[in-house]
Each structure stands twice: as structure tokens, then as C-alpha cells.
Amino acid sequence: MKGKKIIGRIEVIDLPELGLYNIEAKIDTGAETSVLHCEQMEVVKRKGHLYIIGHIRPNLDNEKTIKLTFPIHRERTVKSSFGQSEIRYIFLTKIRMFNELYDIKLSFRDRSAMSYPMLLGRNFITGKFLVDVSKKNLASNLI
């Protein structure tokens, strides 16, 4: 437990390299990978390298989308909680919590039917945080 920060079941985070701030993220220790809501995405090959292009609405109250392009770090086959397998394309970026930057492996997925636009999985949580499910917003960057 030494050196690990405590987070709640819901946290507000920043993804500064994506230009996204104050995003509500659900903590999910059952999910292996972290995922961010994306309106639409595509994978392209440029000069022998794969890139993922995502169209994201930074503000759900506004229809404006931004286009983000990241090199693909790796591909993973993920089984959903419904038992369906799909390929996820993982990219590397930074996340801000507790006013500190951490590396995170992230994928895009349509989460429009979900309550939260982002899910933080155990690959990110492990070794850094303990989860107190009775709490929320312990890692606020609004200090």
C-alpha cells in the first residue's frame, strides 16, 4: 500500500496531449485496458506505420468534433462483458491525475451508450492506485 494513491470509483481527469480536460472517468478493475469515447475512428497506414484517427467531441453539449491521430502502439483482441471479441488499437499518451502526469495506454471506442466517456482499466491502475469504491473525485486536478 505504501506509495499508492487512493482513487474513487469515478474520477475527473485530463488528457493534455489530446486537448481534453475535466473528463469523467469510471474506474473499472474488471477491465484490462483503458478506453476513451470516440464518435468515429479509422486505422490508416502511412509510410509503413499504422495510425489511429479518432473524431472526438470534447464537449458533449456541442456538436464540434476534433480529429486526433496517434501511432498505434499495439493491437489487442478484447472480449467485452457481453462475450464479444473485437480488435482494439492501443496508443500511448499522458493522463493528469493529482496534478501529476502518468503514461497511459488508451484505445478509442464508441461509448455513447455508456454513462461515462472514459474507463480506466487495471493496466493503468495497477501499481499506482488503490480504489475506494465508496468515494469519488479524489484525484481532482482543480487544486
Side-chain angles (χ1 to χ4, degrees), residues 3-139:
K4 293 181 185 176
K5 293 183 165 102
I6 298 173
I7 57 175
R9 69 184 181 278
I10 307 296
E11 291 296 340
V12 176
I13 60 92
D14 296 335
L15 297 168
E17 292 181 335
L18 282 69
L20 301 174
Y21 302 91
N22 299 315
I23 302 165
E24 281 194 308
K26 177 182 177 184
I27 311 307
D28 188 346
T29 59
E32 193 168 337
T33 6
S34 298
V35 64
L36 176 66
H37 172 65
C38 182
E39 297 290 313
Q40 76 180 80
M41 67 180 166
E42 62 183 304
V43 174
V44 297
K45 193 171 193 173
R46 295 183 184 155
K47 298 181 182 177
H49 298 285
L50 288 177
Y51 292 86
I52 188 156
I53 300 171
H55 300 268
I56 296 178
R57 268 194 310 165
N59 182 345
L60 296 178
D61 298 330
N62 188 326
E63 291 297 315
K64 183 182 174 205
T65 61
I66 57 174
K67 180 178 165 183
L68 301 169
T69 304
F70 281 91
I72 292 175
H73 173 65
R74 66 180 266 211
E75 291 179 30
R76 268 191 89 215
T77 301
V78 175
K79 195 175 274 191
S80 74
S81 56
F82 306 111
Q84 295 176 317
S85 292
E86 66 180 352
I87 294 177
R88 296 260 179 100
Y89 299 95
I90 311 295
F91 62 95
L92 306 174
T93 190
K94 303 278 186 193
I95 182 172
R96 183 180 296 126
M97 297 174 71
F98 296 100
N99 282 323
E100 294 180 36
L101 285 177
Y102 298 91
D103 294 325
I104 188 169
K105 294 176 183 171
L106 200 54
S107 67
F108 288 139
R109 187 166 194 284
D110 183 347
R111 291 185 52 80
S112 56
M114 307 297 178
S115 300
Y116 298 95
M118 186 160 179
L119 184 139
L120 291 178
R122 67 179 180 269
N123 279 352
F124 173 68
I125 298 165
T126 301
K128 292 185 263 326
F129 304 106
L130 295 174
V131 182
D132 182 342
V133 297
S134 69
K135 305 276 193 230
K136 290 163 93 174
N137 302 321
L138 300 177

